[in-house]
Amino acid sequence: MRFLKTAAVAAAFLSVVSAASATTVVVGGKNYTEQQLMSEMTAQLLKAKGFNVDKRTGLGTAPLRQAQENGQIDVYWEYTGTSLITFNKVTDKLDAAATYAKVKELDTPKGLVWLNPSKANNTYSFAMRAADARAKGITSISDLAAKINGGEKLSFGSNAEFYARPDGLKPLEESYGFTFGRDNVKRMDTGIVYQALKDGQVDVGLVFATDGRIPAFDFVVLKDDKGYFPTYAMTPVIRKAVLDANPQLAEILNGLSAKLDDQTMAKLNASIDVDKKTVEEVAAGFLKQQGLI
């Protein structure tokens, strides 16, 4: 009996020591639904595994990356194509595997580790209302370019980041040989683009391929027939110093990455944007359903 009491006291002591010394991981995220969801899922998962979490979301792409390089953010989910073009200035056309290998190589000297990529490819896409696209005979971006070059004025809804970024609107227009014209481009927040397209305020909208509002609002994604957009595989990226100190983080985050693909992310995103569930509710439900917590 004395042994059992001693063991219980020792276990309680170790529990207190463990809680007091738990590592704090700073989880970052960008300012749209999918990123808010991924940062929340990461935070809940890490807390369940005994880590303290400091969650910092709502950041733009460039500030978030800079914060990670500066050691202010430990981990967040980035897209391979964004690192390839925006951060590393690589303009070569690479397939999915080569894109991942390249960004992994180029970001290593910066103290960043790309863990296992998910099967969720959240590439940029152009979308139209399905009925409108059918009526105009537009199924691809080349079809869209031909219509505009033929004199048809079509308005485009875009967030400010895509309008200005090096893999954004102007290089795409150059690649496809057309231009919407400055007066026909309406810049707005990412989330508003979907509603503006649905309500007929714009004819074409910039969307993310895994967004659940695409099927919910009866949009059709135009085929990128010239392969302009690279693969944007969503991947957990962590600072090497943090991973070296906590090597178990790789298995934890890779376990979540393995559960994600386009269909899954579209469904989860729609639960928030269309069904109006909270980010916290959707994150917890998925993690429990998948047996991750």
Side-chain angles (χ1 to χ4, degrees), residues 93 123-126 137-147 172-173 175-178 221-230:
K93 296 294 184 182
T123 184
Y124 282 119
S125 299
F126 280 10
I138 298 175
T139 62
S140 67
I141 301 179
S142 286
D143 292 340
L144 174 68
K147 287 288 183 182
L172 180 141
E173 289 177 328
S175 178
Y176 277 94
F178 80 105
V221 171
L222 304 186
K223 182 180 179 182
D224 177 18
D225 51 306
K226 290 192 175 182
Y228 172 80
F229 292 118

Side-chain angles (χ1 to χ4, degrees), residues 25-30 32-57 75-77 79 118 120 210 234-236 249 251-272 278-293:
V25 178
V26 183
V27 177
K30 304 183 189 183
Y32 52 88
T33 299
E34 181 167 279
Q35 283 280 311
Q36 292 167 353
L37 175 61
M38 291 312 305
S39 60
E40 180 62 26
M41 283 205 285
T42 303
Q44 290 188 21
L45 178 59
L46 294 184
K47 286 178 183 176
K49 299 300 182 181
F51 290 89
N52 292 323
V53 174
D54 179 0
K55 191 175 67 159
R56 303 178 188 178
T57 60
V75 61
Y76 79 99
W77 294 74
Y79 305 92
S118 72
T210 57
M234 187 171 66
T235 308
L249 284 170
E251 183 179 355
I252 294 170
L253 295 170
N254 285 337
L256 175 55
S257 186
K259 302 289 187 181
L260 307 174
D261 57 25
D262 288 352
Q263 185 176 5
T264 298
M265 290 311 304
K267 184 177 180 180
L268 292 173
N269 290 332
S271 295
I272 299 167
T278 67
V279 171
E280 294 77 11
E281 178 185 5
V282 173
F286 180 76
L287 292 173
K288 291 174 183 176
Q289 179 190 39
Q290 297 299 320
L292 295 171
I293 62 174

Side-chain angles (χ1 to χ4, degrees), residues 187-206:
R187 282 172 281 181
M188 58 191 74
D189 289 342
T190 299
I192 297 177
V193 172
Y194 296 85
Q195 194 63 44
L197 182 59
K198 181 175 181 284
D199 293 343
Q201 296 172 12
V202 293
D203 300 306
V204 184
L206 176 74

